[in-house]
């Protein structure tokens, strides 16, 4: 009996050694594309029986907090992290992320240049894009036609204001234009930074001095407050992406300038009452085309010092591969694949046919350059943010001030003055200048 037991034990050990599973803890954000990845990851586990995935799915703000704390303290809680274009260059430079080395089959050259550059430091890639976006104009072609206005592929802000005035019809529940007003560095400030950029402004000059009381900032914020006061929906200071998406799908917005990713929702007849009445153009410009449209990616990264680099690399390359995009297409149709990452997606005739926004989206992404997004020279990387650790706090404070100005709680000048004081305090405290 003893022999049998010890033989069984020995065989058991051999078997378990052969099937020792590596558990990967994946931190991700609770949006549609990521939830879909979680569902489809069973395919990855079937192909890689030695790897088991454990998902931690969080709301955007909570995700940011948790992964930032974990990586800064070398907590080691997560093996794969979902991060954005703001964190990647900062953390890559600090040596907190594993450089991603991929093989020929993965074809990193297929990744859109804007995405690859935004997720790299000194030519080394520290995160791979799961989906990418820029911003663009989404407008009601039926309303523009009725007003007798042809919208240019590259409109100006003067054109936009004129069209908003023409199609604004609040009696019938249609507002000329809907724009973000809810405070947050990734909410109202993402949009407002592009408006400031195209008006020739910047967050910081080459000495890192905040520029919030400069002419471009004053021009931009006055224009924005005036535009929404006259032609926007009531309560705009509480609206961000999700709130405006709901308004747009109900047919209440004549125009919207926001994330290109919105296009797949507003053209979906299951979600949108105006799916067949929507057209697209590039984000409007004013003084310069530089920085007029933002650039963002949700990307997958591996913390430096991870003990599971091989397994984690296998997973992040699977989830951002051409094969994964094809798997989503096969499962849900080409109109529902994660976009904004690979040239091959846009070279696919089935995708181009299914996604009528695709050409405008790709043009927007291709024209965004995080290394050259302001007319005056700037010391920072980023289109709609400055990729420095202090920006989160500064952007949050300025966002509150701009939202207050939009709500009419204070004047634009007072809001910009308070913003300048707060930004200077943060930058001095961080030692950028005395």
């Amino acid at each position: 009996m003893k022999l049998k037991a010890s033989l069984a034990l020995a065989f058991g050990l051999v078997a378990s050694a052969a099937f020792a599973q590596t558990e990967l803890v994946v931190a991700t954000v609770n949006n549609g594309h990521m939830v879909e990845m979680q569902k489809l990851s069973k395919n990855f586990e079937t192909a890689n029986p030695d790897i088991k995935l454990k998902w931690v799915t969080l709301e955007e703000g909570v995700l940011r907090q948790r992964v930032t704390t974990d990586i800064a303290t070398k907590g080691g809680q997560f093996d794969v992290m979902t991060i954005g274009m703001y964190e990647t260059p900062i953390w890559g430079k600090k040596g907190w992320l594993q450089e991603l080395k991929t093989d020929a089959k993965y074809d990193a050259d297929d990744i859109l240049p804007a995405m690859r550059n935004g997720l790299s430091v000194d030519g080394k890639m520290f995160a791979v894009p799961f989906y990418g976006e820029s911003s663009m104009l989404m407008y009601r072609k039926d309303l523009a036609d009725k007003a007798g206005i042809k919208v240019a592929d590259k409109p100006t802000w003067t054109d936009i204001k004129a069209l908003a005035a023409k199609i604004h019809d609040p009696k019938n529940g249609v507002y000329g234009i809907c724009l973000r007003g809810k405070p947050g560095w990734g909410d109202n400030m993402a949009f407002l930074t592009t408006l400031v950029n195209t008006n020739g402004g910047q967050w910081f000059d080459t000495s890192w001095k905040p520029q919030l009381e400069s002419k471009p900032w004053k021009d931009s914020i006055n224009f924005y407050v005036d535009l929404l006061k006259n032609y926007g929906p009531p309560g705009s200071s509480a609206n961000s992406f999700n709130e405006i998406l709901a308004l747009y799908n109900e047919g209440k917005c004549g125009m919207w300038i926001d994330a290109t990713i919105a296009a797949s929702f507003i053209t979906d007849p299951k979600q949108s009452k105006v799916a067949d009445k929507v057209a697209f153009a590039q984000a409007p410009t004013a003084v310069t085309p530089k920085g007029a449209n933002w650039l963002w990616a949700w990307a997958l990264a591996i913390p430096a010092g991870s003990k599971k680099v091989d397994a984690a690399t296998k997973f992040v390359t699977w989830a951002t591969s051409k094969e994964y995009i094809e798997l989503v297409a096969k499962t849900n149709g080409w109109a529902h694949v994660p976009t904004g990452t690979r040239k091959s997606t846009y070279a696919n005739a089935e995708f181009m046919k299914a996604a009528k926004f695709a050409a405008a989206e790709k043009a927007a992404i291709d024209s965004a350059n995080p290394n050259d997004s302001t007319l005056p020279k700037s010391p920072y990387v980023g289109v709609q943010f400055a990729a420095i650790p202090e920006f989160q706090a500064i952007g949050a404070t300025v966002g509150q001030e701009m939202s207050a100005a939009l709500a009419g709680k204070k004047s634009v000048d007072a809001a910009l003055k308070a913003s300048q004081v707060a930004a200077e305090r943060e930058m001095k405290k961080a030692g950028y200048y005395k």
Side-chain angles (χ1 to χ4, degrees):
M1 273 315 280
K2 254 187 185 165
L3 181 68
K4 259 187 180 171
S6 58
L7 273 174
L9 183 65
F11 275 116
L13 286 173
V14 170
S16 69
F19 285 97
Q21 277 193 319
T22 302
E23 185 183 73
L24 289 181
V25 182
V26 184
T28 193
V29 65
N30 66 345
N31 66 28
H33 283 313
M34 299 302 191
V35 173
E36 196 52 41
M37 168 169 62
Q38 208 169 327
K39 283 188 205 151
L40 294 174
S41 64
K42 289 182 189 67
N43 295 274
F44 173 79
E45 289 176 320
T46 307
N48 298 276
D50 55 332
I51 301 173
K52 178 99 191 86
L53 301 171
K54 186 180 169 198
W55 293 85
V56 181
T57 308
L58 303 161
E59 188 271 317
E60 188 174 324
V62 182
L63 171 79
R64 276 215 170 92
Q65 247 171 332
R66 291 269 304 267
V67 299
T68 303
T69 305
D70 189 58
I71 203 153
T73 59
K74 295 192 169 52
Q77 255 184 307
F78 306 116
D79 304 304
V80 174
M81 296 175 160
T82 303
I83 60 176
M85 239 178 218
Y86 168 69
E87 295 88 355
T88 305
I90 299 175
W91 296 358
K93 206 175 272 178
K94 283 181 187 275
W96 290 357
L97 300 172
Q98 185 72 32
E99 185 192 344
L100 292 170
K101 295 186 172 144
T102 58
D103 59 15
K105 184 175 172 282
Y106 180 76
D107 191 7
D109 289 338
D110 184 47
I111 295 171
L112 296 173
M115 293 298 153
R116 195 173 171 172
N117 294 340
L119 298 169
S120 299
V121 177
D122 300 329
K124 293 175 182 169
M125 200 152 62
F126 287 100
V128 280
F130 181 70
Y131 77 79
E133 64 178 42
S134 183
S135 53
M136 65 181 176
L137 169 66
M138 298 165 271
Y139 67 97
R140 287 277 300 280
K141 190 170 183 320
D142 59 324
L143 300 179
D145 288 349
K146 204 172 128 191
I149 291 180
K150 188 180 174 351
V151 177
D153 284 341
K154 294 181 173 180
T156 66
W157 274 107
T158 311
D159 299 338
I160 296 303
K161 188 175 181 175
L163 180 57
K166 279 266 170 69
I167 61 180
H168 185 58
D169 185 9
K171 279 197 188 72
N172 290 308
V174 178
Y175 301 97
I177 189 162
C178 297
L179 297 168
R180 297 182 182 198
K182 191 182 194 172
W185 72 264
D187 287 294
N188 62 344
M189 293 322 298
F191 167 72
L192 285 173
T193 303
T194 62
L195 183 59
V196 169
N197 290 341
T198 192
N199 273 294
Q202 62 190 151
W203 274 95
F204 308 101
D205 68 10
T206 48
S207 313
W208 290 106
K209 293 262 168 57
Q211 297 298 301
L212 294 149
E213 289 185 284
S214 61
K215 186 177 183 298
W217 274 88
K218 287 188 174 173
D219 289 349
S220 301
I221 308 306
N222 278 309
F223 176 84
Y224 161 78
V225 169
D226 183 58
L227 187 67
L228 284 178
K229 203 164 69 187
N230 290 316
Y231 311 118
S236 280
S237 60
N239 290 346
S240 195
F241 181 84
N242 289 331
E243 293 81 7
I244 300 173
L245 179 61
L247 286 171
Y248 203 100
N249 283 344
E250 281 297 315
K252 293 187 184 306
C253 298
M255 283 184 281
W256 183 22
I257 292 118
D258 212 305
T260 50
I261 200 86
S264 58
F265 307 129
I266 60 175
T267 53
D268 177 2
K270 289 195 188 84
Q271 303 182 41
S272 169
K273 290 180 180 172
V274 293
D276 58 344
K277 300 180 171 69
V278 184
F280 307 97
Q282 295 307 291
T285 57
V287 175
T288 174
K290 282 190 180 190
N293 46 298
W294 71 59
L295 191 69
W296 183 255
W298 278 117
L300 301 174
I302 303 165
S306 163
K307 309 262 188 298
K308 302 173 186 174
V309 173
D310 290 348
T313 302
K314 236 182 219 179
F315 173 71
V316 304
T317 50
W318 171 80
T320 59
S321 65
K322 295 177 196 176
E323 290 73 21
Y324 176 81
I325 292 170
E326 279 157 20
L327 175 65
V328 178
K330 203 172 76 185
T331 314
N332 304 321
W334 276 103
H336 301 284
V337 302
T339 60
T341 57
R342 286 182 169 270
K343 298 173 199 168
S344 52
T345 305
Y346 295 91
N348 183 300
E350 288 176 79
F351 169 70
M352 295 304 280
K353 200 174 111 192
K356 67 176 191 180
F357 55 84
E361 174 182 69
K362 185 172 184 292
I365 290 169
D366 287 346
S367 70
N369 182 357
N371 296 304
D372 183 21
S373 63
T374 58
L375 193 57
K377 203 167 156 41
S378 292
Y380 54 87
V381 171
V383 181
Q384 75 280 21
F385 54 80
I388 56 170
E390 297 71 26
F391 183 76
Q392 285 197 55
I394 293 171
T397 304
V398 178
Q400 293 285 354
E401 292 294 335
M402 297 308 105
S403 194
L406 181 59
K409 291 179 183 159
K410 52 168 52 174
S411 72
V412 169
D413 281 359
L416 287 170
K417 189 175 178 56
S419 298
Q420 178 71 14
V421 168
E424 282 179 358
R425 190 170 55 232
E426 279 295 324
M427 295 301 275
K428 277 181 185 161
K429 196 172 79 183
Y432 282 83
Y433 56 87
K434 285 188 173 64

